[in-house]
Amino acid sequence: MQDEIVNKVAQSKLITFNLEDYYPKGDRMVLDIKDWLFEGFILKEKEFRAFVEEHDWSQYEGAYVAMHCSTDAIVPGWAYILLSVKLSGIAKKIIQGSLVDLETSIYQSIIEHLDISEYQDQLIIIKGCSKKPVPANAYLFLAERLKPVARSIMYGEACSSVPLYKRK
């Protein structure tokens, strides 16, 4: 009689937390304002406002939008605020920054609003690999959020995890 293979990982009390499971659906779009600037560098208010009024804002319907300028132009703060006012009620989320900044902001909000009561006194592994663009800061936000309730926090996979925190 052969020894039965036992999956000890499946029998353990480990809870795997996969941030990829929380990746919200929706288009991610970048609004680069360089083409709205004189020679790509100088914001002329009258012309800028004309571009804002003529722009087709409907293309951002339900999308997550990152606004930025890809040139080294000095853009006054009111310009991005004006754009966010136009996008408000159209886009799901609007930030000034890169796509990474956008994903970070999205995940920060998701993690802040998580019900973590189910993780009270649990052994948690934060899964490290993902196929979706989970930003590095999301892992930090999650560990910080779980630390007050978790018995232990690890990172990686159940078969090769790295211990991060263990309550004393």
Side-chain angles (χ1 to χ4, degrees), residues 15 30 42 47 69 91 102 118-119 155-156:
I15 296 175
V30 175
I42 300 168
E47 288 84 353
C69 182
L102 177 63
E118 67 182 279
Y119 302 105
Y155 175 83

Side-chain angles (χ1 to χ4, degrees), residues 94-141:
I94 310 149
I95 63 117
Q96 178 185 341
S98 68
L99 282 174
V100 172
D101 296 332
L102 177 63
E103 292 297 341
T104 299
S105 178
I106 291 168
Y107 268 97
Q108 185 171 21
S109 181
I110 289 168
I111 291 166
E112 284 174 355
H113 295 96
L114 275 177
D115 176 10
I116 58 169
S117 61
E118 67 182 279
Y119 302 105
Q120 186 69 45
D121 300 321
Q122 298 298 321
L123 308 172
I124 302 166
I125 294 181
I126 299 173
K127 185 175 179 194
C129 300
S130 69
K131 294 177 182 134
K132 296 178 181 170
V134 177
N137 277 323
Y139 296 96
L140 308 180
F141 300 149

Side-chain angles (χ1 to χ4, degrees), residues 16-159:
T16 300
F17 195 109
N18 187 353
L19 279 166
E20 189 176 51
D21 294 341
Y22 293 87
Y23 185 81
K25 293 179 182 175
D27 292 333
R28 274 60 168 172
M29 299 179 77
V30 175
L31 174 56
D32 186 352
I33 65 167
K34 75 172 173 37
D35 294 332
W36 298 3
L37 306 178
F38 178 69
E39 295 182 359
F41 289 98
I42 300 168
L43 187 144
K44 292 185 175 181
E45 184 176 352
K46 185 177 180 181
E47 288 84 353
F48 185 79
R49 287 182 179 275
F51 278 117
V52 170
E53 287 306 315
E54 295 165 9
H55 190 67
D56 176 17
W57 297 102
S58 66
Q59 65 185 305
Y60 304 99
E61 182 73 40
Y64 297 91
V65 180
M67 305 177 296
H68 80 115
C69 182
S70 60
T71 66
D72 290 331
I74 297 172
V75 180
W78 64 260
Y80 290 111
I81 298 168
L82 177 65
L83 297 175
S84 72
V85 167
K86 286 292 188 181
L87 285 165
S88 179
I90 298 171
K92 283 184 186 175
K93 185 165 194 73
I94 310 149
I95 63 117
Q96 178 185 341
S98 68
L99 282 174
V100 172
D101 296 332
L102 177 63
E103 292 297 341
T104 299
S105 178
I106 291 168
Y107 268 97
Q108 185 171 21
S109 181
I110 289 168
I111 291 166
E112 284 174 355
H113 295 96
L114 275 177
D115 176 10
I116 58 169
S117 61
E118 67 182 279
Y119 302 105
Q120 186 69 45
D121 300 321
Q122 298 298 321
L123 308 172
I124 302 166
I125 294 181
I126 299 173
K127 185 175 179 194
C129 300
S130 69
K131 294 177 182 134
K132 296 178 181 170
V134 177
N137 277 323
Y139 296 96
L140 308 180
F141 300 149
L142 181 61
E144 180 182 20
R145 183 93 164 95
L146 291 174
K147 184 182 173 194
V149 297
R151 192 164 82 204
S152 75
I153 301 173
M154 294 166 273
Y155 175 83
E157 300 293 328
C159 60

